[in-house]
Amino acid sequence: MSIRIFVTGGTFDKEYNEITGELYFKDSHLPEMLKLGRSRVPVDIRTLMMIDSLKMTDIDRELIARHCIEAVEEKIIVTHGTDTMAETARMLAGKIKDKTVVLTGAMIPYKFGSSDGLFNMGSALAFVQTLPMGVYVAMNGRYFEALNVRKNKETGQFEEVS
Amino acid sequence: MSIRIFVTGGTFDKEYNEITGELYFKDSHLPEMLKLGRSRVPVDIRTLMMIDSLKMTDIDRELIARHCIEAVEEKIIVTHGTDTMAETARMLAGKIKDKTVVLTGAMIPYKFGSSDGLFNMGSALAFVQTLPMGVYVAMNGRYFEALNVRKNKETGQFEEVS
Amino acid sequence: MSIRIFVTGGTFDKEYNEITGELYFKDSHLPEMLKLGRSRVPVDIRTLMMIDSLKMTDIDRELIARHCIEAVEEKIIVTHGTDTMAETARMLAGKIKDKTVVLTGAMIPYKFGSSDGLFNMGSALAFVQTLPMGVYVAMNGRYFEALNVRKNKETGQFEEVS
Amino acid sequence: MSIRIFVTGGTFDKEYNEITGELYFKDSHLPEMLKLGRSRVPVDIRTLMMIDSLKMTDIDRELIARHCIEAVEEKIIVTHGTDTMAETARMLAGKIKDKTVVLTGAMIPYKFGSSDGLFNMGSALAFVQTLPMGVYVAMNGRYFEALNVRKNKETGQFEEVS
C-alpha cells in the first residue's frame, strides 16, 4: 500500500523571493526530492498547509490529526517546521494509535546547498516503513517517540526529554 | 552502541579529476554527508577499499565479510558500488546471521548536484537501526532482503528477483 | 597590478541561520567563489561592512567612496546589495574619475543553489579588466554606466533609465 | 545585436550516465546557465558538435571557423574543451580578423557542484562585449590573446606562452 505524505510547510520548503529578499513558501519540494532520491516507494502527497510551525495553531493541528485519522494508509509522513514539531507529535500521539506516523523537517531550506532535507526525507521514508505503530519524530538520523522528544533551542538538535 | 560503516568505494565516492578528465576515488564523502544531515547517530567509519564494484573480487568480498563478522557492532552499513551490490549482499547473507547489515550506494556521485547519495545514506542509517538481524540492500527508498534482490541493468533500479 | 575588491554585504553573502530561521551575514563568500572559478587574477579583498543595502546610509557610502579613492589599485570591484546599488554607483561616479569601478551583487544568496552570484562575479571581474575608467554596474550579464541605470523593482532586473 | 554562441562540447557539458557509469554528452547546459545568471544579453545559441576536444579534428575546426565567419554577429562565444582550446583559438585567429571571438570552457562539468563553468560563462560573456576585434581564450578569470596562450597540463591553468 502507498505511504501518505502530508505537507505542512516548515523550513523544508522555504524559497528565497528575489524581489522582496524574504523567505517564503511556494510549492513543496517533496516530489523533486523523491525523484532525486530515485525513490520507488509508492507515495501519495497532499499539501495541507504551507506555514511556519511557529504560526501553527491548535486548529491547524486538529486538521492534521483529522487527515491522519481519515487517511486509508497505515503509514504516514508529515513534513513540518522543526520549532513546534515535538508539540504536534505529542498531540497526534494522543489521538492516533493504529498507524505509524513519522514527522520530519529540515534545519535549512532544501534549496540551500547545505540543507539536511534530502537526508531527513530518506530517513523518514525508511523509518515509516519499519517502525511499529506509533507517532515519531525523525531528525538528526534518529527517531524519537512522540512523548519523549524536544528540540534543543540552543543547539538546534532533537533529543530525548528524559 | 555505535553503528559501524565500512566504505568500499562505488559511484558514491567518485570525484572528477580536472587534470585528466576522469572519474577517480579520493577520500570518502561519508563524514561530510553525515555532517550535512546533522546526524547525531554515533558511527565509526572505516575505509576497507576504494574500488569500482565491477572490479571487486572474491578476495575483496571475503575481506568485507571478515570485517563485518569481527566488528563489535551489531549494526553495520557497507557503502558499495551498485553494479555488484546484490552479489556481495548474497555472499554476506550466507555468513552473517546475528547482525543487521545494510548495503547502500548511489547511482550518481555525491559530488554531482543530481546525486541520490544523501537520500540513500539517510535511509540506510534508518534501516540499520530498525530492521531485524539479516543482510539487506537499501536503495530507491526501499530495503530488500539480500537473497531476493537484483539491480535491473536497464532501468538502474533495484527490484525483487521473485 | 592587483584588482581591489571591497565587500559591503548584500544578498550575495547572506547565510541561513538554522537556529533562528533568519538570513544573516557571516563571512564573505568571495574567496570561495574565486577559488571555485579557478580565478588566477590577483585580487586584494577587504570587507568594509556587511549590511543590507536598504540600510546603507550616506555615511556608509562616503566610506566606500573614500576607500575607492585612497586605494592604490586602478581597478576596483564593489560587492553590494542590489536594492540601492544604482544609488551608490551614482554617488561614486560623482567622485571618482580616474579608476574603473564595477559594482555587482546577486539576486539570490550565493549559498542557494539557484544563485546568480558566481555568474555575476565572473562578469564583474571581466568587466573591470576591460572597461575604460568610470563607474559601472555589472548585473544580468551586462554593464551599465553609473548615471544611466536603475533596478526595476517589479522584475528585479537592471535596466537603462533612458 | 545578439551575441552568437557556438557549442562544441567539452567538459562543460558532460553528464554522468547512471546506467553505464560513464561521462557523456547530452544537451548543452548553456540555456540553463544563462537563466541562472539572470542574463539579459540577447544571445543565439547553436550547437555545432558535442565532443571531447581531444577528439577534435582539423575538419571540426574548419567547421567552427566557417560558422564564425558566416555568422552575421560580430561578437561570438565558442564553448570548447580545455585540452585543445588554445589550438582552436590559434587556428581561428589566422582566419578571423573583423570579429570578437571568445573561447571558454570548464575544468569541471557544470553539473558537478564544484564546477567553474558558471563563473567562466559570466566572464566570457563580459569579455566578448568589451574586447576589441580578435580571438581570445577566457579562462581563470582572465583573457588571453589567441596567439599567446597555452594550457599548462600539470596545473590545469591557462597561461601566456611568453
Side-chain angles (χ1 to χ4, degrees), chain C residues 66-113:
Chain C
R66 190 151 49 80
H67 276 285
C68 288
I69 291 165
E70 290 176 4
V72 294
E73 293 87 354
E74 287 183 2
K75 294 172 179 300
I76 299 170
I77 292 173
V78 179
T79 67
H80 196 289
T82 59
D83 285 314
T84 69
M85 190 186 287
E87 193 178 330
T88 302
R90 205 155 42 235
M91 187 276 243
L92 292 177
K95 294 176 183 268
I96 306 166
K97 309 290 182 189
D98 57 350
K99 297 187 175 184
T100 302
V101 179
V102 175
L103 289 84
T104 195
M107 294 302 293
I108 297 266
Y110 175 61
K111 279 296 175 185
F112 262 86

Short mmCIF file of all heavy atoms in Angstrom, two decimals, chain C residues 66-113:
data_model
loop_
_atom_site.label_atom_id
_atom_site.label_comp_id
_atom_site.label_asym_id
_atom_site.label_seq_id
_atom_site.Cartn_x
_atom_site.Cartn_y
_atom_site.Cartn_z
N ARG C 66 35.56 56.87 -0.09
CA ARG C 66 36.89 57.20 0.40
C ARG C 66 37.87 56.04 0.17
O ARG C 66 39.00 56.23 -0.27
CB ARG C 66 36.83 57.54 1.89
CG ARG C 66 38.11 58.14 2.45
CD ARG C 66 37.85 59.08 3.62
NE ARG C 66 36.96 58.46 4.60
CZ ARG C 66 37.33 57.56 5.52
NH1 ARG C 66 38.60 57.17 5.58
NH2 ARG C 66 36.47 57.06 6.37
N HIS C 67 37.38 54.82 0.42
CA HIS C 67 38.25 53.66 0.20
C HIS C 67 38.60 53.49 -1.27
O HIS C 67 39.72 53.14 -1.61
CB HIS C 67 37.58 52.39 0.75
CG HIS C 67 37.79 52.19 2.21
ND1 HIS C 67 38.98 51.76 2.73
CD2 HIS C 67 36.98 52.40 3.27
CE1 HIS C 67 38.90 51.69 4.06
NE2 HIS C 67 37.69 52.08 4.41
N CYS C 68 37.63 53.76 -2.15
CA CYS C 68 37.91 53.65 -3.59
C CYS C 68 38.96 54.68 -4.00
O CYS C 68 39.86 54.39 -4.78
CB CYS C 68 36.63 53.86 -4.41
SG CYS C 68 35.46 52.49 -4.31
N ILE C 69 38.81 55.88 -3.47
CA ILE C 69 39.73 56.96 -3.84
C ILE C 69 41.14 56.70 -3.31
O ILE C 69 42.13 56.90 -4.00
CB ILE C 69 39.19 58.31 -3.29
CG1 ILE C 69 37.92 58.70 -4.06
CG2 ILE C 69 40.24 59.41 -3.40
CD1 ILE C 69 37.10 59.80 -3.41
N GLU C 70 41.21 56.21 -2.09
CA GLU C 70 42.52 56.02 -1.46
C GLU C 70 43.23 54.73 -1.87
O GLU C 70 44.44 54.59 -1.65
CB GLU C 70 42.37 56.05 0.07
CG GLU C 70 42.03 57.46 0.57
CD GLU C 70 41.79 57.51 2.08
OE1 GLU C 70 41.96 56.46 2.73
OE2 GLU C 70 41.44 58.59 2.57
N ALA C 71 42.49 53.81 -2.47
CA ALA C 71 43.12 52.56 -2.88
C ALA C 71 44.20 52.82 -3.93
O ALA C 71 44.04 53.69 -4.78
CB ALA C 71 42.07 51.60 -3.44
N VAL C 72 45.30 52.07 -3.87
CA VAL C 72 46.35 52.25 -4.86
C VAL C 72 45.96 51.61 -6.19
O VAL C 72 46.46 51.98 -7.25
CB VAL C 72 47.69 51.64 -4.39
CG1 VAL C 72 48.22 52.41 -3.18
CG2 VAL C 72 47.53 50.16 -4.07
N GLU C 73 45.03 50.68 -6.15
CA GLU C 73 44.61 49.98 -7.37
C GLU C 73 43.76 50.89 -8.26
O GLU C 73 43.00 51.71 -7.77
CB GLU C 73 43.79 48.73 -7.01
CG GLU C 73 44.58 47.65 -6.32
CD GLU C 73 44.62 47.84 -4.81
OE1 GLU C 73 44.12 48.88 -4.32
OE2 GLU C 73 45.17 46.96 -4.13
N GLU C 74 43.87 50.67 -9.57
CA GLU C 74 43.08 51.45 -10.51
C GLU C 74 41.81 50.72 -10.93
O GLU C 74 40.96 51.28 -11.61
CB GLU C 74 43.92 51.76 -11.76
CG GLU C 74 44.98 52.80 -11.46
CD GLU C 74 45.76 53.15 -12.72
OE1 GLU C 74 45.43 52.60 -13.80
OE2 GLU C 74 46.68 53.97 -12.61
N LYS C 75 41.72 49.48 -10.56
CA LYS C 75 40.55 48.66 -10.90
C LYS C 75 39.93 48.12 -9.62
O LYS C 75 40.61 47.44 -8.85
CB LYS C 75 40.95 47.53 -11.84
CG LYS C 75 41.42 48.05 -13.21
CD LYS C 75 41.99 46.96 -14.07
CE LYS C 75 42.44 47.51 -15.42
NZ LYS C 75 41.36 48.13 -16.20
N ILE C 76 38.65 48.44 -9.42
CA ILE C 76 38.00 48.12 -8.14
C ILE C 76 36.63 47.49 -8.38
O ILE C 76 35.84 47.97 -9.20
CB ILE C 76 37.83 49.42 -7.30
CG1 ILE C 76 39.20 50.02 -6.99
CG2 ILE C 76 37.04 49.13 -6.02
CD1 ILE C 76 39.14 51.42 -6.37
N ILE C 77 36.35 46.41 -7.66
CA ILE C 77 35.01 45.82 -7.65
C ILE C 77 34.39 46.07 -6.28
O ILE C 77 35.06 45.91 -5.26
CB ILE C 77 35.07 44.30 -7.92
CG1 ILE C 77 35.51 44.02 -9.36
CG2 ILE C 77 33.71 43.63 -7.65
CD1 ILE C 77 35.74 42.55 -9.69
N VAL C 78 33.13 46.48 -6.27
CA VAL C 78 32.41 46.66 -5.01
C VAL C 78 31.22 45.70 -5.01
O VAL C 78 30.34 45.80 -5.86
CB VAL C 78 31.90 48.12 -4.84
CG1 VAL C 78 31.13 48.27 -3.52
CG2 VAL C 78 33.06 49.11 -4.92
N THR C 79 31.20 44.73 -4.08
CA THR C 79 30.01 43.88 -3.98
C THR C 79 29.01 44.60 -3.09
O THR C 79 29.38 45.19 -2.06
CB THR C 79 30.34 42.49 -3.38
OG1 THR C 79 30.71 42.62 -2.02
CG2 THR C 79 31.47 41.82 -4.16
N HIS C 80 27.74 44.54 -3.49
CA HIS C 80 26.75 45.48 -2.94
C HIS C 80 25.36 44.88 -3.09
O HIS C 80 25.07 44.17 -4.04
CB HIS C 80 26.85 46.77 -3.78
CG HIS C 80 26.22 47.98 -3.18
ND1 HIS C 80 24.86 48.14 -3.08
CD2 HIS C 80 26.77 49.10 -2.67
CE1 HIS C 80 24.61 49.32 -2.52
NE2 HIS C 80 25.75 49.93 -2.26
N GLY C 81 24.48 45.15 -2.13
CA GLY C 81 23.09 44.75 -2.27
C GLY C 81 22.48 45.40 -3.50
O GLY C 81 22.89 46.49 -3.90
N THR C 82 21.52 44.73 -4.14
CA THR C 82 21.01 45.25 -5.41
C THR C 82 20.02 46.40 -5.24
O THR C 82 19.87 47.21 -6.15
CB THR C 82 20.32 44.13 -6.22
OG1 THR C 82 19.25 43.58 -5.45
CG2 THR C 82 21.31 43.03 -6.58
N ASP C 83 19.38 46.47 -4.07
CA ASP C 83 18.30 47.46 -3.93
C ASP C 83 18.76 48.91 -4.10
O ASP C 83 18.04 49.72 -4.65
CB ASP C 83 17.60 47.29 -2.58
CG ASP C 83 16.69 46.07 -2.58
OD1 ASP C 83 15.94 45.90 -3.56
OD2 ASP C 83 16.73 45.29 -1.61
N THR C 84 19.95 49.24 -3.59
CA THR C 84 20.43 50.62 -3.73
C THR C 84 21.76 50.67 -4.47
O THR C 84 22.50 51.65 -4.36
CB THR C 84 20.59 51.29 -2.34
OG1 THR C 84 21.67 50.68 -1.63
CG2 THR C 84 19.31 51.18 -1.52
N MET C 85 22.05 49.62 -5.23
CA MET C 85 23.31 49.58 -5.98
C MET C 85 23.44 50.76 -6.94
O MET C 85 24.50 51.38 -7.05
CB MET C 85 23.42 48.27 -6.75
CG MET C 85 24.79 48.03 -7.36
SD MET C 85 24.81 46.54 -8.42
CE MET C 85 24.73 45.24 -7.20
N ALA C 86 22.35 51.07 -7.63
CA ALA C 86 22.38 52.17 -8.60
C ALA C 86 22.65 53.50 -7.91
O ALA C 86 23.37 54.36 -8.44
CB ALA C 86 21.06 52.21 -9.37
N GLU C 87 22.10 53.66 -6.71
CA GLU C 87 22.29 54.91 -5.95
C GLU C 87 23.75 55.08 -5.55
O GLU C 87 24.34 56.16 -5.71
CB GLU C 87 21.40 54.84 -4.70
CG GLU C 87 21.24 56.16 -4.00
CD GLU C 87 20.29 56.03 -2.80
OE1 GLU C 87 19.36 55.17 -2.85
OE2 GLU C 87 20.49 56.76 -1.81
N THR C 88 24.35 54.01 -5.05
CA THR C 88 25.77 54.08 -4.66
C THR C 88 26.64 54.32 -5.89
O THR C 88 27.61 55.10 -5.83
CB THR C 88 26.20 52.78 -3.95
OG1 THR C 88 25.36 52.59 -2.80
CG2 THR C 88 27.64 52.83 -3.50
N ALA C 89 26.29 53.68 -7.01
CA ALA C 89 27.07 53.86 -8.24
C ALA C 89 27.06 55.33 -8.67
O ALA C 89 28.09 55.90 -9.03
CB ALA C 89 26.50 52.97 -9.35
N ARG C 90 25.88 55.92 -8.59
CA ARG C 90 25.73 57.33 -9.00
C ARG C 90 26.59 58.24 -8.12
O ARG C 90 27.28 59.12 -8.62
CB ARG C 90 24.25 57.72 -8.88
CG ARG C 90 23.81 58.84 -9.77
CD ARG C 90 22.31 58.77 -10.05
NE ARG C 90 21.55 58.44 -8.85
CZ ARG C 90 20.70 57.42 -8.77
NH1 ARG C 90 20.48 56.65 -9.82
NH2 ARG C 90 20.04 57.18 -7.65
N MET C 91 26.54 57.99 -6.84
CA MET C 91 27.33 58.80 -5.90
C MET C 91 28.82 58.65 -6.17
O MET C 91 29.56 59.64 -6.23
CB MET C 91 26.96 58.37 -4.48
CG MET C 91 27.60 59.24 -3.41
SD MET C 91 29.29 58.66 -3.07
CE MET C 91 29.11 58.21 -1.37
N LEU C 92 29.26 57.39 -6.40
CA LEU C 92 30.68 57.15 -6.67
C LEU C 92 31.12 57.81 -7.97
O LEU C 92 32.23 58.35 -8.07
CB LEU C 92 30.98 55.64 -6.73
CG LEU C 92 30.85 54.85 -5.42
CD1 LEU C 92 31.12 53.36 -5.68
CD2 LEU C 92 31.81 55.37 -4.35
N ALA C 93 30.21 57.81 -8.95
CA ALA C 93 30.54 58.38 -10.26
C ALA C 93 30.83 59.87 -10.15
O ALA C 93 31.58 60.44 -10.96
CB ALA C 93 29.41 58.13 -11.24
N GLY C 94 30.22 60.53 -9.15
CA GLY C 94 30.46 61.96 -8.98
C GLY C 94 31.82 62.26 -8.38
O GLY C 94 32.31 63.39 -8.45
N LYS C 95 32.45 61.26 -7.79
CA LYS C 95 33.69 61.50 -7.06
C LYS C 95 34.92 60.83 -7.67
O LYS C 95 36.04 61.23 -7.41
CB LYS C 95 33.55 60.96 -5.62
CG LYS C 95 32.52 61.69 -4.78
CD LYS C 95 32.39 61.01 -3.42
CE LYS C 95 31.33 61.67 -2.57
NZ LYS C 95 31.87 62.73 -1.71
N ILE C 96 34.68 59.79 -8.47
CA ILE C 96 35.82 59.01 -8.97
C ILE C 96 35.86 59.05 -10.49
O ILE C 96 34.93 58.59 -11.15
CB ILE C 96 35.74 57.55 -8.49
CG1 ILE C 96 35.61 57.51 -6.96
CG2 ILE C 96 36.97 56.76 -8.94
CD1 ILE C 96 35.19 56.17 -6.42
N LYS C 97 36.92 59.62 -11.04
CA LYS C 97 37.01 59.78 -12.49
C LYS C 97 38.18 59.01 -13.09
O LYS C 97 38.20 58.75 -14.30
CB LYS C 97 37.19 61.27 -12.84
CG LYS C 97 36.18 62.20 -12.21
CD LYS C 97 34.78 62.03 -12.81
CE LYS C 97 33.80 63.01 -12.17
NZ LYS C 97 32.40 62.75 -12.56
N ASP C 98 39.14 58.67 -12.27
CA ASP C 98 40.38 58.11 -12.81
C ASP C 98 40.59 56.63 -12.48
O ASP C 98 41.71 56.14 -12.44
CB ASP C 98 41.57 58.92 -12.30
CG ASP C 98 41.61 58.94 -10.77
OD1 ASP C 98 40.60 58.48 -10.15
OD2 ASP C 98 42.61 59.38 -10.20
N LYS C 99 39.50 55.93 -12.21
CA LYS C 99 39.59 54.50 -11.93
C LYS C 99 38.42 53.79 -12.59
O LYS C 99 37.43 54.42 -12.97
CB LYS C 99 39.55 54.24 -10.41
CG LYS C 99 40.72 54.85 -9.67
CD LYS C 99 40.76 54.44 -8.21
CE LYS C 99 42.05 55.00 -7.60
NZ LYS C 99 42.24 54.57 -6.20
N THR C 100 38.55 52.48 -12.74
CA THR C 100 37.41 51.68 -13.20
C THR C 100 36.81 50.99 -11.98
O THR C 100 37.48 50.17 -11.34
CB THR C 100 37.86 50.63 -14.23
OG1 THR C 100 38.48 51.30 -15.34
CG2 THR C 100 36.67 49.82 -14.73
N VAL C 101 35.58 51.36 -11.67
CA VAL C 101 34.90 50.79 -10.51
C VAL C 101 33.65 50.05 -10.99
O VAL C 101 32.82 50.62 -11.70
CB VAL C 101 34.48 51.89 -9.50
CG1 VAL C 101 33.75 51.27 -8.30
CG2 VAL C 101 35.69 52.70 -9.05
N VAL C 102 33.54 48.78 -10.62
CA VAL C 102 32.40 47.97 -11.04
C VAL C 102 31.66 47.46 -9.81
O VAL C 102 32.25 46.80 -8.96
CB VAL C 102 32.85 46.76 -11.90
CG1 VAL C 102 31.67 45.85 -12.23
CG2 VAL C 102 33.52 47.25 -13.19
N LEU C 103 30.38 47.80 -9.71
CA LEU C 103 29.56 47.29 -8.62
C LEU C 103 28.80 46.06 -9.09
O LEU C 103 28.27 46.04 -10.21
CB LEU C 103 28.54 48.34 -8.16
CG LEU C 103 29.10 49.56 -7.41
CD1 LEU C 103 29.58 50.61 -8.39
CD2 LEU C 103 28.06 50.14 -6.46
N THR C 104 28.76 45.04 -8.25
CA THR C 104 27.98 43.86 -8.60
C THR C 104 27.39 43.26 -7.33
O THR C 104 27.73 43.66 -6.21
CB THR C 104 28.80 42.82 -9.38
OG1 THR C 104 27.92 41.88 -9.99
CG2 THR C 104 29.75 42.05 -8.46
N GLY C 105 26.49 42.30 -7.52
CA GLY C 105 25.82 41.68 -6.38
C GLY C 105 25.09 40.44 -6.84
O GLY C 105 25.48 39.81 -7.80
N ALA C 106 24.02 40.10 -6.14
CA ALA C 106 23.27 38.91 -6.53
C ALA C 106 21.82 39.06 -6.12
O ALA C 106 21.50 39.76 -5.17
CB ALA C 106 23.86 37.66 -5.88
N MET C 107 20.96 38.42 -6.87
CA MET C 107 19.53 38.43 -6.56
C MET C 107 19.20 37.36 -5.53
O MET C 107 18.20 37.43 -4.83
CB MET C 107 18.71 38.18 -7.83
CG MET C 107 18.80 39.29 -8.86
SD MET C 107 18.28 40.88 -8.19
CE MET C 107 16.52 40.55 -7.94
N ILE C 108 20.04 36.33 -5.51
CA ILE C 108 19.82 35.17 -4.65
C ILE C 108 21.12 34.89 -3.89
O ILE C 108 22.19 34.96 -4.50
CB ILE C 108 19.48 33.93 -5.54
CG1 ILE C 108 18.18 34.13 -6.32
CG2 ILE C 108 19.47 32.65 -4.71
CD1 ILE C 108 16.95 33.57 -5.64
N PRO C 109 21.05 34.60 -2.60
CA PRO C 109 22.30 34.35 -1.86
C PRO C 109 23.14 33.26 -2.52
O PRO C 109 22.60 32.26 -3.02
CB PRO C 109 21.81 33.89 -0.48
CG PRO C 109 20.46 34.51 -0.32
CD PRO C 109 19.87 34.51 -1.72
N TYR C 110 24.45 33.45 -2.49
CA TYR C 110 25.37 32.50 -3.11
C TYR C 110 25.15 31.08 -2.63
O TYR C 110 25.30 30.12 -3.39
CB TYR C 110 26.81 32.96 -2.81
CG TYR C 110 27.87 31.99 -3.28
CD1 TYR C 110 27.99 31.68 -4.64
CD2 TYR C 110 28.72 31.38 -2.38
CE1 TYR C 110 28.95 30.79 -5.07
CE2 TYR C 110 29.69 30.49 -2.81
CZ TYR C 110 29.80 30.20 -4.16
OH TYR C 110 30.75 29.31 -4.58
N LYS C 111 24.77 30.94 -1.37
CA LYS C 111 24.64 29.60 -0.80
C LYS C 111 23.37 28.87 -1.25
O LYS C 111 23.20 27.69 -0.97
CB LYS C 111 24.68 29.68 0.74
CG LYS C 111 26.09 29.80 1.26
CD LYS C 111 26.89 28.52 0.92
CE LYS C 111 28.34 28.62 1.31
NZ LYS C 111 29.10 27.44 0.86
N PHE C 112 22.46 29.58 -1.91
CA PHE C 112 21.31 28.93 -2.53
C PHE C 112 21.76 28.31 -3.84
O PHE C 112 22.53 28.91 -4.58
CB PHE C 112 20.21 29.96 -2.85
CG PHE C 112 19.13 30.03 -1.83
CD1 PHE C 112 19.26 30.84 -0.71
CD2 PHE C 112 17.96 29.28 -1.96
CE1 PHE C 112 18.27 30.91 0.23
CE2 PHE C 112 16.96 29.36 -1.03
CZ PHE C 112 17.10 30.18 0.08
N GLY C 113 21.25 27.15 -4.15
CA GLY C 113 21.61 26.50 -5.39
C GLY C 113 21.30 27.35 -6.61
O GLY C 113 22.00 27.29 -7.62
#
